[in-house]
Amino acid sequence: MAVAIKPGDATAGQAKAAVCGACHGIDGNSSDPQYPKLAGQSEAYIAHQLASFKAGKRQNPIMLGMATPLSPQDMQNVGAYFASKTSLPGVADQALVDHGQTLFREGDPTRGIPACMACHSIDGRGNPGAMYPQLTAQHAQYIQATLKAWHDGTVWGDDTHSQIMPSIAQKLDANDIAALASYVEGLHSAEPTPALTTP
């Protein structure tokens, strides 16, 4: 009999996520840019990726070892914990912003490249319901390596979601990838500034 999976419990997830902190940062803001920031990522997306690692559909020897002992409920809880955290903003290379912003907001219809914001939203926060991940403030180095891997034929699974990005990344050249990665790292919502009052 299958056990029903409940929505994640961030408090329970915090204990399980402690081991994740070595690479991803205790609050999901990794200091090493080869490891993705998980802070603010959606619960469902994190749980899905952990399940893919455990099943061997997404290949990574370290993550296979980390995901293998987790139950589906553990994965939801870990996802809930990181979803409750806030990703720290990064900085874009100003020389790459224009090209990156154009691809992110408009794509390139002449090459069949859709706008990134169509799925990942204009502020890069993703679409949790559709399981499109948050990109905002993600390390450029991680984004660049991931897009290059997809460009070169890596696929993260056999489900429909896993087929989307490799087919798009194959249309990107090295300059596109560098520009998008940098733009995404610098993408974050400006904090509202308090209104100035005159005496």
Side-chain angles (χ1 to χ4, degrees):
M1 185 171 135
V3 177
I5 300 171
K6 300 175 190 157
D9 176 337
T11 304
Q14 183 172 6
K16 291 281 182 187
V19 69
C20 310
C23 295
H24 297 286
I26 201 70
D27 65 348
N29 283 289
S30 61
S31 56
D32 185 334
Q34 70 176 309
Y35 301 118
K37 292 180 183 179
L38 300 179
Q41 192 61 266
S42 80
E43 175 184 329
Y45 184 78
I46 289 174
H48 179 74
Q49 295 307 314
L50 286 169
S52 293
F53 284 126
K54 183 172 181 171
K57 292 179 180 180
R58 183 173 173 187
Q59 299 290 316
N60 183 296
I62 296 171
M63 285 305 303
L64 174 63
M66 294 293 163
T68 296
L70 299 176
S71 70
Q73 187 62 58
D74 291 336
M75 294 177 190
Q76 291 293 141
N77 294 346
V78 168
Y81 171 70
F82 285 119
S84 73
K85 301 300 172 191
T86 302
S87 61
L88 299 176
V91 179
D93 178 343
Q94 202 56 44
L96 301 176
V97 165
D98 286 346
H99 184 49
Q101 180 170 273
T102 298
L103 285 171
F104 190 89
R105 294 187 174 198
E106 301 170 26
D108 185 346
T110 64
R111 293 187 286 156
I113 299 168
C116 307
M117 73 176 199
C119 294
H120 298 282
S121 81
I122 193 166
D123 62 359
R125 299 261 176 224
N127 182 337
M131 244 190 321
Y132 296 134
Q134 170 177 283
L135 300 180
T136 186
Q138 188 58 267
H139 294 299
Q141 181 179 323
Y142 177 76
I143 294 284
Q144 193 163 1
T146 303
L147 286 172
K148 185 176 184 322
W150 282 329
H151 177 275
D152 296 345
T154 297
V155 180
W156 284 3
D158 51 14
D159 60 288
T160 307
H161 272 85
S162 301
Q163 311 304 314
I164 297 170
M165 280 309 304
S167 65
I168 295 169
Q170 285 161 15
K171 298 171 184 172
L172 301 172
D173 63 29
N175 291 333
D176 296 332
I177 289 172
L180 270 172
S182 181
Y183 180 73
V184 163
E185 180 170 330
L187 183 61
H188 53 89
S189 301
E191 291 300 314
T193 52
L196 294 174
T197 55
T198 52

